[in-house]
Every structure is written in C-alpha cells, then in structure tokens.
Amino acid sequence: MARIVINGATIVGWPSFHDEFSRAFRFFDGYGRNRDAWIDCMTDLHGPKALSGLRLPAGESIEIVLNDSAIVAKSYPEIFAELLRLTRYANNLYAEAQKDVRISVTEA
C-alpha cells in the first residue's frame, strides 16, 4: 500500500487543498485544481501513463495520511467532508472498473 502524507496544517481553503494534493501526489502539470480533476488524477495513479508522478504498480491501494486532521475538520469542515466524499466516489469508480484499488484516509 502506498502511504501519502498530506500536511493538513497547510490547508486553509480550496487553493491550498489542491496545492497540497498536487505536491504530495505529484499530479501532472495540467492538473485542473477542481473536484473533477482531483477525481481524474486519483483514479489514474497507476502505470507509466498515470496522471501522477508516483506511477504506482497496478492494483496498489493508497493510504492518505492527513496530518493535523483535527485542525482541518474544525476550521474547514466543508473541505474535510468533501475529501471524504471524493474518496468514496473514487473508490466507487475503482470498484465499477473492477479494480482492487482502494483509497483510505487516516486521520493523524
């Protein structure tokens, strides 16, 4: 399982949310910095043509470790809730594509 650490202390709004995920997951230069682009990138993390510089092995699951998660949840509850919704949505897309990949969010 790939473990990716997100620095929640840097998330102070949507622009910084996208900055932090783009940095941590090494999203491609054309990353659109919106919900649809986040889903596209998070469901295309594997193989040589991935939308991420991580290029994970096929089937490898992802653990997002959200440091300072309590700060994000308290100060930016809409962003925290949307992260969980987007993660569930990405997991549903993986399941529909019959891929064993799962994304989990660990609060730290």
Side-chain angles (χ1 to χ4, degrees):
M1 177 178 290
R3 177 180 248 194
I4 309 298
V5 177
I6 298 295
N7 183 357
T10 67
I11 296 174
V12 295
W14 285 111
S16 56
F17 171 90
H18 291 291
D19 289 344
E20 183 59 18
F21 271 87
S22 183
R23 178 205 59 77
F25 280 89
R26 300 189 328 222
F27 290 158
F28 75 110
D29 289 339
Y31 172 56
R33 301 173 54 78
N34 59 55
R35 291 173 180 101
D36 289 338
W38 191 91
I39 288 291
D40 288 345
C41 287
M42 292 300 290
T43 56
D44 193 357
L45 295 169
H46 302 82
K49 295 184 180 181
L51 296 176
S52 161
L54 298 178
R55 292 181 175 82
L56 300 174
E60 184 166 8
S61 290
I62 301 107
E63 176 187 18
I64 298 170
V65 178
L66 181 60
N67 285 340
D68 296 313
S69 59
I71 293 170
V72 177
K74 182 177 180 182
S75 300
Y76 304 96
E78 70 286 352
I79 292 174
F80 184 77
E82 186 67 4
L83 170 61
L84 299 179
R85 279 191 293 272
L86 289 170
T87 300
R88 281 192 301 272
Y89 185 72
N91 283 331
N92 287 338
L93 291 176
Y94 277 123
E96 287 174 8
Q98 298 181 341
K99 295 182 180 178
D100 290 332
V101 175
R102 294 296 172 265
I103 301 170
S104 62
V105 177
T106 300
E107 297 178 51

mmCIF file with all atom_site columns, all heavy atoms in Angstrom, residues 53-78:
data_model
loop_
_atom_site.group_PDB
_atom_site.id
_atom_site.type_symbol
_atom_site.label_atom_id
_atom_site.label_alt_id
_atom_site.label_comp_id
_atom_site.label_asym_id
_atom_site.label_entity_id
_atom_site.label_seq_id
_atom_site.pdbx_PDB_ins_code
_atom_site.Cartn_x
_atom_site.Cartn_y
_atom_site.Cartn_z
_atom_site.occupancy
_atom_site.B_iso_or_equiv
_atom_site.pdbx_formal_charge
_atom_site.auth_seq_id
_atom_site.auth_comp_id
_atom_site.auth_asym_id
_atom_site.auth_atom_id
_atom_site.pdbx_PDB_model_num
ATOM 1   N N   . GLY A 1 53 ? 3.076   11.644 -10.920 1.00 0.00 ? 53 GLY A N   1
ATOM 2   C CA  . GLY A 1 53 ? 4.462   11.219 -10.990 1.00 0.00 ? 53 GLY A CA  1
ATOM 3   C C   . GLY A 1 53 ? 4.749   9.996  -10.134 1.00 0.00 ? 53 GLY A C   1
ATOM 4   O O   . GLY A 1 53 ? 5.829   9.427  -10.216 1.00 0.00 ? 53 GLY A O   1
ATOM 5   N N   . LEU A 1 54 ? 3.787   9.569  -9.319  1.00 0.00 ? 54 LEU A N   1
ATOM 6   C CA  . LEU A 1 54 ? 4.005   8.388  -8.474  1.00 0.00 ? 54 LEU A CA  1
ATOM 7   C C   . LEU A 1 54 ? 4.075   7.112  -9.299  1.00 0.00 ? 54 LEU A C   1
ATOM 8   O O   . LEU A 1 54 ? 4.853   6.219  -9.002  1.00 0.00 ? 54 LEU A O   1
ATOM 9   C CB  . LEU A 1 54 ? 2.886   8.260  -7.437  1.00 0.00 ? 54 LEU A CB  1
ATOM 10  C CG  . LEU A 1 54 ? 2.748   9.388  -6.434  1.00 0.00 ? 54 LEU A CG  1
ATOM 11  C CD1 . LEU A 1 54 ? 1.568   9.120  -5.504  1.00 0.00 ? 54 LEU A CD1 1
ATOM 12  C CD2 . LEU A 1 54 ? 4.022   9.572  -5.635  1.00 0.00 ? 54 LEU A CD2 1
ATOM 13  N N   . ARG A 1 55 ? 3.212   6.994  -10.301 1.00 0.00 ? 55 ARG A N   1
ATOM 14  C CA  . ARG A 1 55 ? 3.154   5.819  -11.177 1.00 0.00 ? 55 ARG A CA  1
ATOM 15  C C   . ARG A 1 55 ? 3.207   4.523  -10.361 1.00 0.00 ? 55 ARG A C   1
ATOM 16  O O   . ARG A 1 55 ? 4.151   3.743  -10.455 1.00 0.00 ? 55 ARG A O   1
ATOM 17  C CB  . ARG A 1 55 ? 4.251   5.876  -12.214 1.00 0.00 ? 55 ARG A CB  1
ATOM 18  C CG  . ARG A 1 55 ? 4.045   6.994  -13.205 1.00 0.00 ? 55 ARG A CG  1
ATOM 19  C CD  . ARG A 1 55 ? 5.125   7.060  -14.264 1.00 0.00 ? 55 ARG A CD  1
ATOM 20  N NE  . ARG A 1 55 ? 4.831   8.057  -15.262 1.00 0.00 ? 55 ARG A NE  1
ATOM 21  C CZ  . ARG A 1 55 ? 5.071   9.348  -15.137 1.00 0.00 ? 55 ARG A CZ  1
ATOM 22  N NH1 . ARG A 1 55 ? 5.572   9.821  -14.025 1.00 0.00 ? 55 ARG A NH1 1
ATOM 23  N NH2 . ARG A 1 55 ? 4.787   10.187 -16.116 1.00 0.00 ? 55 ARG A NH2 1
ATOM 24  N N   . LEU A 1 56 ? 2.186   4.329  -9.566  1.00 0.00 ? 56 LEU A N   1
ATOM 25  C CA  . LEU A 1 56 ? 2.118   3.179  -8.678  1.00 0.00 ? 56 LEU A CA  1
ATOM 26  C C   . LEU A 1 56 ? 1.960   1.885  -9.472  1.00 0.00 ? 56 LEU A C   1
ATOM 27  O O   . LEU A 1 56 ? 1.422   1.895  -10.583 1.00 0.00 ? 56 LEU A O   1
ATOM 28  C CB  . LEU A 1 56 ? 0.941   3.333  -7.725  1.00 0.00 ? 56 LEU A CB  1
ATOM 29  C CG  . LEU A 1 56 ? 0.979   4.566  -6.826  1.00 0.00 ? 56 LEU A CG  1
ATOM 30  C CD1 . LEU A 1 56 ? -0.321  4.678  -6.034  1.00 0.00 ? 56 LEU A CD1 1
ATOM 31  C CD2 . LEU A 1 56 ? 2.168   4.515  -5.896  1.00 0.00 ? 56 LEU A CD2 1
ATOM 32  N N   . PRO A 1 57 ? 2.396   0.763  -8.894  1.00 0.00 ? 57 PRO A N   1
ATOM 33  C CA  . PRO A 1 57 ? 2.172   -0.531 -9.548  1.00 0.00 ? 57 PRO A CA  1
ATOM 34  C C   . PRO A 1 57 ? 0.675   -0.830 -9.651  1.00 0.00 ? 57 PRO A C   1
ATOM 35  O O   . PRO A 1 57 ? -0.114  -0.411 -8.796  1.00 0.00 ? 57 PRO A O   1
ATOM 36  C CB  . PRO A 1 57 ? 2.850   -1.533 -8.608  1.00 0.00 ? 57 PRO A CB  1
ATOM 37  C CG  . PRO A 1 57 ? 3.755   -0.737 -7.741  1.00 0.00 ? 57 PRO A CG  1
ATOM 38  C CD  . PRO A 1 57 ? 3.178   0.642  -7.662  1.00 0.00 ? 57 PRO A CD  1
ATOM 39  N N   . ALA A 1 58 ? 0.287   -1.551 -10.669 1.00 0.00 ? 58 ALA A N   1
ATOM 40  C CA  . ALA A 1 58 ? -1.122  -1.904 -10.871 1.00 0.00 ? 58 ALA A CA  1
ATOM 41  C C   . ALA A 1 58 ? -1.683  -2.554 -9.617  1.00 0.00 ? 58 ALA A C   1
ATOM 42  O O   . ALA A 1 58 ? -1.050  -3.416 -9.010  1.00 0.00 ? 58 ALA A O   1
ATOM 43  C CB  . ALA A 1 58 ? -1.258  -2.843 -12.061 1.00 0.00 ? 58 ALA A CB  1
ATOM 44  N N   . GLY A 1 59 ? -2.868  -2.113 -9.231  1.00 0.00 ? 59 GLY A N   1
ATOM 45  C CA  . GLY A 1 59 ? -3.561  -2.711 -8.102  1.00 0.00 ? 59 GLY A CA  1
ATOM 46  C C   . GLY A 1 59 ? -3.159  -2.218 -6.729  1.00 0.00 ? 59 GLY A C   1
ATOM 47  O O   . GLY A 1 59 ? -3.777  -2.596 -5.738  1.00 0.00 ? 59 GLY A O   1
ATOM 48  N N   . GLU A 1 60 ? -2.150  -1.370 -6.644  1.00 0.00 ? 60 GLU A N   1
ATOM 49  C CA  . GLU A 1 60 ? -1.710  -0.904 -5.324  1.00 0.00 ? 60 GLU A CA  1
ATOM 50  C C   . GLU A 1 60 ? -2.700  0.108  -4.752  1.00 0.00 ? 60 GLU A C   1
ATOM 51  O O   . GLU A 1 60 ? -3.070  1.076  -5.398  1.00 0.00 ? 60 GLU A O   1
ATOM 52  C CB  . GLU A 1 60 ? -0.319  -0.282 -5.384  1.00 0.00 ? 60 GLU A CB  1
ATOM 53  C CG  . GLU A 1 60 ? 0.182   0.105  -4.009  1.00 0.00 ? 60 GLU A CG  1
ATOM 54  C CD  . GLU A 1 60 ? 1.680   0.410  -3.979  1.00 0.00 ? 60 GLU A CD  1
ATOM 55  O OE1 . GLU A 1 60 ? 2.317   0.472  -5.045  1.00 0.00 ? 60 GLU A OE1 1
ATOM 56  O OE2 . GLU A 1 60 ? 2.201   0.584  -2.877  1.00 0.00 ? 60 GLU A OE2 1
ATOM 57  N N   . SER A 1 61 ? -3.121  -0.136 -3.519  1.00 0.00 ? 61 SER A N   1
ATOM 58  C CA  . SER A 1 61 ? -4.022  0.769  -2.832  1.00 0.00 ? 61 SER A CA  1
ATOM 59  C C   . SER A 1 61 ? -3.259  1.953  -2.253  1.00 0.00 ? 61 SER A C   1
ATOM 60  O O   . SER A 1 61 ? -2.025  1.932  -2.185  1.00 0.00 ? 61 SER A O   1
ATOM 61  C CB  . SER A 1 61 ? -4.778  0.032  -1.731  1.00 0.00 ? 61 SER A CB  1
ATOM 62  O OG  . SER A 1 61 ? -5.707  -0.857 -2.318  1.00 0.00 ? 61 SER A OG  1
ATOM 63  N N   . ILE A 1 62 ? -4.025  2.969  -1.847  1.00 0.00 ? 62 ILE A N   1
ATOM 64  C CA  . ILE A 1 62 ? -3.426  4.223  -1.380  1.00 0.00 ? 62 ILE A CA  1
ATOM 65  C C   . ILE A 1 62 ? -3.988  4.577  -0.007  1.00 0.00 ? 62 ILE A C   1
ATOM 66  O O   . ILE A 1 62 ? -5.207  4.570  0.186   1.00 0.00 ? 62 ILE A O   1
ATOM 67  C CB  . ILE A 1 62 ? -3.740  5.375  -2.362  1.00 0.00 ? 62 ILE A CB  1
ATOM 68  C CG1 . ILE A 1 62 ? -3.213  5.053  -3.756  1.00 0.00 ? 62 ILE A CG1 1
ATOM 69  C CG2 . ILE A 1 62 ? -3.190  6.694  -1.868  1.00 0.00 ? 62 ILE A CG2 1
ATOM 70  C CD1 . ILE A 1 62 ? -4.267  4.700  -4.738  1.00 0.00 ? 62 ILE A CD1 1
ATOM 71  N N   . GLU A 1 63 ? -3.091  4.900  0.907   1.00 0.00 ? 63 GLU A N   1
ATOM 72  C CA  . GLU A 1 63 ? -3.499  5.431  2.198   1.00 0.00 ? 63 GLU A CA  1
ATOM 73  C C   . GLU A 1 63 ? -3.099  6.899  2.233   1.00 0.00 ? 63 GLU A C   1
ATOM 74  O O   . GLU A 1 63 ? -1.923  7.234  2.117   1.00 0.00 ? 63 GLU A O   1
ATOM 75  C CB  . GLU A 1 63 ? -2.820  4.693  3.346   1.00 0.00 ? 63 GLU A CB  1
ATOM 76  C CG  . GLU A 1 63 ? -3.157  5.278  4.703   1.00 0.00 ? 63 GLU A CG  1
ATOM 77  C CD  . GLU A 1 63 ? -2.370  4.666  5.848   1.00 0.00 ? 63 GLU A CD  1
ATOM 78  O OE1 . GLU A 1 63 ? -1.325  4.035  5.590   1.00 0.00 ? 63 GLU A OE1 1
ATOM 79  O OE2 . GLU A 1 63 ? -2.794  4.843  6.995   1.00 0.00 ? 63 GLU A OE2 1
ATOM 80  N N   . ILE A 1 64 ? -4.093  7.765  2.390   1.00 0.00 ? 64 ILE A N   1
ATOM 81  C CA  . ILE A 1 64 ? -3.838  9.186  2.571   1.00 0.00 ? 64 ILE A CA  1
ATOM 82  C C   . ILE A 1 64 ? -3.757  9.421  4.075   1.00 0.00 ? 64 ILE A C   1
ATOM 83  O O   . ILE A 1 64 ? -4.727  9.180  4.794   1.00 0.00 ? 64 ILE A O   1
ATOM 84  C CB  . ILE A 1 64 ? -4.963  10.043 1.975   1.00 0.00 ? 64 ILE A CB  1
ATOM 85  C CG1 . ILE A 1 64 ? -5.083  9.825  0.471   1.00 0.00 ? 64 ILE A CG1 1
ATOM 86  C CG2 . ILE A 1 64 ? -4.753  11.521 2.300   1.00 0.00 ? 64 ILE A CG2 1
ATOM 87  C CD1 . ILE A 1 64 ? -6.324  10.440 -0.145  1.00 0.00 ? 64 ILE A CD1 1
ATOM 88  N N   . VAL A 1 65 ? -2.599  9.856  4.547   1.00 0.00 ? 65 VAL A N   1
ATOM 89  C CA  . VAL A 1 65 ? -2.432  10.185 5.956   1.00 0.00 ? 65 VAL A CA  1
ATOM 90  C C   . VAL A 1 65 ? -2.579  11.696 6.064   1.00 0.00 ? 65 VAL A C   1
ATOM 91  O O   . VAL A 1 65 ? -1.733  12.443 5.575   1.00 0.00 ? 65 VAL A O   1
ATOM 92  C CB  . VAL A 1 65 ? -1.063  9.723  6.497   1.00 0.00 ? 65 VAL A CB  1
ATOM 93  C CG1 . VAL A 1 65 ? -0.902  10.128 7.954   1.00 0.00 ? 65 VAL A CG1 1
ATOM 94  C CG2 . VAL A 1 65 ? -0.895  8.223  6.319   1.00 0.00 ? 65 VAL A CG2 1
ATOM 95  N N   . LEU A 1 66 ? -3.679  12.127 6.681   1.00 0.00 ? 66 LEU A N   1
ATOM 96  C CA  . LEU A 1 66 ? -3.958  13.553 6.807   1.00 0.00 ? 66 LEU A CA  1
ATOM 97  C C   . LEU A 1 66 ? -3.466  14.038 8.164   1.00 0.00 ? 66 LEU A C   1
ATOM 98  O O   . LEU A 1 66 ? -4.163  13.890 9.178   1.00 0.00 ? 66 LEU A O   1
ATOM 99  C CB  . LEU A 1 66 ? -5.454  13.828 6.636   1.00 0.00 ? 66 LEU A CB  1
ATOM 100 C CG  . LEU A 1 66 ? -5.896  15.284 6.730   1.00 0.00 ? 66 LEU A CG  1
ATOM 101 C CD1 . LEU A 1 66 ? -5.213  16.135 5.655   1.00 0.00 ? 66 LEU A CD1 1
ATOM 102 C CD2 . LEU A 1 66 ? -7.410  15.386 6.618   1.00 0.00 ? 66 LEU A CD2 1
ATOM 103 N N   . ASN A 1 67 ? -2.260  14.598 8.178   1.00 0.00 ? 67 ASN A N   1
ATOM 104 C CA  . ASN A 1 67 ? -1.724  15.179 9.412   1.00 0.00 ? 67 ASN A CA  1
ATOM 105 C C   . ASN A 1 67 ? -2.537  16.417 9.780   1.00 0.00 ? 67 ASN A C   1
ATOM 106 O O   . ASN A 1 67 ? -3.045  17.115 8.898   1.00 0.00 ? 67 ASN A O   1
ATOM 107 C CB  . ASN A 1 67 ? -0.252  15.556 9.245   1.00 0.00 ? 67 ASN A CB  1
ATOM 108 C CG  . ASN A 1 67 ? 0.654   14.349 9.252   1.00 0.00 ? 67 ASN A CG  1
ATOM 109 O OD1 . ASN A 1 67 ? 0.285   13.278 9.727   1.00 0.00 ? 67 ASN A OD1 1
ATOM 110 N ND2 . ASN A 1 67 ? 1.844   14.506 8.717   1.00 0.00 ? 67 ASN A ND2 1
ATOM 111 N N   . ASP A 1 68 ? -2.627  16.671 11.079  1.00 0.00 ? 68 ASP A N   1
ATOM 112 C CA  . ASP A 1 68 ? -3.412  17.810 11.576  1.00 0.00 ? 68 ASP A CA  1
ATOM 113 C C   . ASP A 1 68 ? -4.858  17.751 11.093  1.00 0.00 ? 68 ASP A C   1
ATOM 114 O O   . ASP A 1 68 ? -5.485  18.777 10.825  1.00 0.00 ? 68 ASP A O   1
ATOM 115 C CB  . ASP A 1 68 ? -2.761  19.143 11.181  1.00 0.00 ? 68 ASP A CB  1
ATOM 116 C CG  . ASP A 1 68 ? -1.396  19.321 11.830  1.00 0.00 ? 68 ASP A CG  1
ATOM 117 O OD1 . ASP A 1 68 ? -1.281  19.086 13.044  1.00 0.00 ? 68 ASP A OD1 1
ATOM 118 O OD2 . ASP A 1 68 ? -0.447  19.682 11.106  1.00 0.00 ? 68 ASP A OD2 1
ATOM 119 N N   . SER A 1 69 ? -5.391  16.537 11.012  1.00 0.00 ? 69 SER A N   1
ATOM 120 C CA  . SER A 1 69 ? -6.750  16.351 10.513  1.00 0.00 ? 69 SER A CA  1
ATOM 121 C C   . SER A 1 69 ? -7.777  17.050 11.400  1.00 0.00 ? 69 SER A C   1
ATOM 122 O O   . SER A 1 69 ? -8.784  17.554 10.889  1.00 0.00 ? 69 SER A O   1
ATOM 123 C CB  . SER A 1 69 ? -7.079  14.868 10.398  1.00 0.00 ? 69 SER A CB  1
ATOM 124 O OG  . SER A 1 69 ? -6.951  14.232 11.658  1.00 0.00 ? 69 SER A OG  1
ATOM 125 N N   . ALA A 1 70 ? -7.541  17.094 12.709  1.00 0.00 ? 70 ALA A N   1
ATOM 126 C CA  . ALA A 1 70 ? -8.493  17.752 13.614  1.00 0.00 ? 70 ALA A CA  1
ATOM 127 C C   . ALA A 1 70 ? -8.598  19.245 13.301  1.00 0.00 ? 70 ALA A C   1
ATOM 128 O O   . ALA A 1 70 ? -9.684  19.826 13.385  1.00 0.00 ? 70 ALA A O   1
ATOM 129 C CB  . ALA A 1 70 ? -8.083  17.534 15.066  1.00 0.00 ? 70 ALA A CB  1
ATOM 130 N N   . ILE A 1 71 ? -7.485  19.845 12.920  1.00 0.00 ? 71 ILE A N   1
ATOM 131 C CA  . ILE A 1 71 ? -7.492  21.266 12.553  1.00 0.00 ? 71 ILE A CA  1
ATOM 132 C C   . ILE A 1 71 ? -8.319  21.475 11.287  1.00 0.00 ? 71 ILE A C   1
ATOM 133 O O   . ILE A 1 71 ? -9.143  22.385 11.215  1.00 0.00 ? 71 ILE A O   1
ATOM 134 C CB  . ILE A 1 71 ? -6.052  21.789 12.363  1.00 0.00 ? 71 ILE A CB  1
ATOM 135 C CG1 . ILE A 1 71 ? -5.308  21.778 13.697  1.00 0.00 ? 71 ILE A CG1 1
ATOM 136 C CG2 . ILE A 1 71 ? -6.055  23.181 11.742  1.00 0.00 ? 71 ILE A CG2 1
ATOM 137 C CD1 . ILE A 1 71 ? -3.820  22.045 13.569  1.00 0.00 ? 71 ILE A CD1 1
ATOM 138 N N   . VAL A 1 72 ? -8.101  20.609 10.300  1.00 0.00 ? 72 VAL A N   1
ATOM 139 C CA  . VAL A 1 72 ? -8.855  20.728 9.047   1.00 0.00 ? 72 VAL A CA  1
ATOM 140 C C   . VAL A 1 72 ? -10.342 20.515 9.322   1.00 0.00 ? 72 VAL A C   1
ATOM 141 O O   . VAL A 1 72 ? -11.184 21.292 8.859   1.00 0.00 ? 72 VAL A O   1
ATOM 142 C CB  . VAL A 1 72 ? -8.345  19.723 7.990   1.00 0.00 ? 72 VAL A CB  1
ATOM 143 C CG1 . VAL A 1 72 ? -9.177  19.812 6.717   1.00 0.00 ? 72 VAL A CG1 1
ATOM 144 C CG2 . VAL A 1 72 ? -6.873  19.944 7.677   1.00 0.00 ? 72 VAL A CG2 1
ATOM 145 N N   . ALA A 1 73 ? -10.669 19.478 10.082  1.00 0.00 ? 73 ALA A N   1
ATOM 146 C CA  . ALA A 1 73 ? -12.077 19.168 10.358  1.00 0.00 ? 73 ALA A CA  1
ATOM 147 C C   . ALA A 1 73 ? -12.774 20.297 11.106  1.00 0.00 ? 73 ALA A C   1
ATOM 148 O O   . ALA A 1 73 ? -13.945 20.590 10.841  1.00 0.00 ? 73 ALA A O   1
ATOM 149 C CB  . ALA A 1 73 ? -12.173 17.870 11.144  1.00 0.00 ? 73 ALA A CB  1
ATOM 150 N N   . LYS A 1 74 ? -12.065 20.949 12.018  1.00 0.00 ? 74 LYS A N   1
ATOM 151 C CA  . LYS A 1 74 ? -12.673 22.020 12.816  1.00 0.00 ? 74 LYS A CA  1
ATOM 152 C C   . LYS A 1 74 ? -12.714 23.341 12.053  1.00 0.00 ? 74 LYS A C   1
ATOM 153 O O   . LYS A 1 74 ? -13.726 24.035 12.046  1.00 0.00 ? 74 LYS A O   1
ATOM 154 C CB  . LYS A 1 74 ? -11.898 22.208 14.112  1.00 0.00 ? 74 LYS A CB  1
ATOM 155 C CG  . LYS A 1 74 ? -12.496 23.269 15.011  1.00 0.00 ? 74 LYS A CG  1
ATOM 156 C CD  . LYS A 1 74 ? -11.770 23.393 16.321  1.00 0.00 ? 74 LYS A CD  1
ATOM 157 C CE  . LYS A 1 74 ? -12.432 24.486 17.167  1.00 0.00 ? 74 LYS A CE  1
ATOM 158 N NZ  . LYS A 1 74 ? -11.739 24.681 18.421  1.00 0.00 ? 74 LYS A NZ  1
ATOM 159 N N   . SER A 1 75 ? -11.609 23.700 11.416  1.00 0.00 ? 75 SER A N   1
ATOM 160 C CA  . SER A 1 75 ? -11.509 25.004 10.759  1.00 0.00 ? 75 SER A CA  1
ATOM 161 C C   . SER A 1 75 ? -12.121 25.034 9.365   1.00 0.00 ? 75 SER A C   1
ATOM 162 O O   . SER A 1 75 ? -12.594 26.081 8.917   1.00 0.00 ? 75 SER A O   1
ATOM 163 C CB  . SER A 1 75 ? -10.044 25.433 10.678  1.00 0.00 ? 75 SER A CB  1
ATOM 164 O OG  . SER A 1 75 ? -9.486  25.523 11.967  1.00 0.00 ? 75 SER A OG  1
ATOM 165 N N   . TYR A 1 76 ? -12.095 23.902 8.688   1.00 0.00 ? 76 TYR A N   1
ATOM 166 C CA  . TYR A 1 76 ? -12.578 23.824 7.301   1.00 0.00 ? 76 TYR A CA  1
ATOM 167 C C   . TYR A 1 76 ? -13.421 22.562 7.136   1.00 0.00 ? 76 TYR A C   1
ATOM 168 O O   . TYR A 1 76 ? -13.073 21.668 6.351   1.00 0.00 ? 76 TYR A O   1
ATOM 169 C CB  . TYR A 1 76 ? -11.406 23.852 6.311   1.00 0.00 ? 76 TYR A CB  1
ATOM 170 C CG  . TYR A 1 76 ? -10.556 25.076 6.512   1.00 0.00 ? 76 TYR A CG  1
ATOM 171 C CD1 . TYR A 1 76 ? -9.405  25.021 7.289   1.00 0.00 ? 76 TYR A CD1 1
ATOM 172 C CD2 . TYR A 1 76 ? -10.947 26.298 5.980   1.00 0.00 ? 76 TYR A CD2 1
ATOM 173 C CE1 . TYR A 1 76 ? -8.653  26.164 7.526   1.00 0.00 ? 76 TYR A CE1 1
ATOM 174 C CE2 . TYR A 1 76 ? -10.190 27.439 6.202   1.00 0.00 ? 76 TYR A CE2 1
ATOM 175 C CZ  . TYR A 1 76 ? -9.050  27.362 6.979   1.00 0.00 ? 76 TYR A CZ  1
ATOM 176 O OH  . TYR A 1 76 ? -8.317  28.499 7.200   1.00 0.00 ? 76 TYR A OH  1
ATOM 177 N N   . PRO A 1 77 ? -14.537 22.470 7.860   1.00 0.00 ? 77 PRO A N   1
ATOM 178 C CA  . PRO A 1 77 ? -15.325 21.234 7.835   1.00 0.00 ? 77 PRO A CA  1
ATOM 179 C C   . PRO A 1 77 ? -15.846 20.873 6.444   1.00 0.00 ? 77 PRO A C   1
ATOM 180 O O   . PRO A 1 77 ? -15.980 19.686 6.130   1.00 0.00 ? 77 PRO A O   1
ATOM 181 C CB  . PRO A 1 77 ? -16.475 21.513 8.808   1.00 0.00 ? 77 PRO A CB  1
ATOM 182 C CG  . PRO A 1 77 ? -16.550 22.998 8.917   1.00 0.00 ? 77 PRO A CG  1
ATOM 183 C CD  . PRO A 1 77 ? -15.145 23.493 8.709   1.00 0.00 ? 77 PRO A CD  1
ATOM 184 N N   . GLU A 1 78 ? -16.114 21.888 5.609   1.00 0.00 ? 78 GLU A N   1
ATOM 185 C CA  . GLU A 1 78 ? -16.606 21.591 4.266   1.00 0.00 ? 78 GLU A CA  1
ATOM 186 C C   . GLU A 1 78 ? -15.535 20.926 3.419   1.00 0.00 ? 78 GLU A C   1
ATOM 187 O O   . GLU A 1 78 ? -15.819 20.032 2.617   1.00 0.00 ? 78 GLU A O   1
ATOM 188 C CB  . GLU A 1 78 ? -17.135 22.864 3.576   1.00 0.00 ? 78 GLU A CB  1
ATOM 189 C CG  . GLU A 1 78 ? -16.090 23.882 3.177   1.00 0.00 ? 78 GLU A CG  1
ATOM 190 C CD  . GLU A 1 78 ? -15.469 24.707 4.323   1.00 0.00 ? 78 GLU A CD  1
ATOM 191 O OE1 . GLU A 1 78 ? -15.930 24.636 5.472   1.00 0.00 ? 78 GLU A OE1 1
ATOM 192 O OE2 . GLU A 1 78 ? -14.498 25.423 4.043   1.00 0.00 ? 78 GLU A OE2 1
#
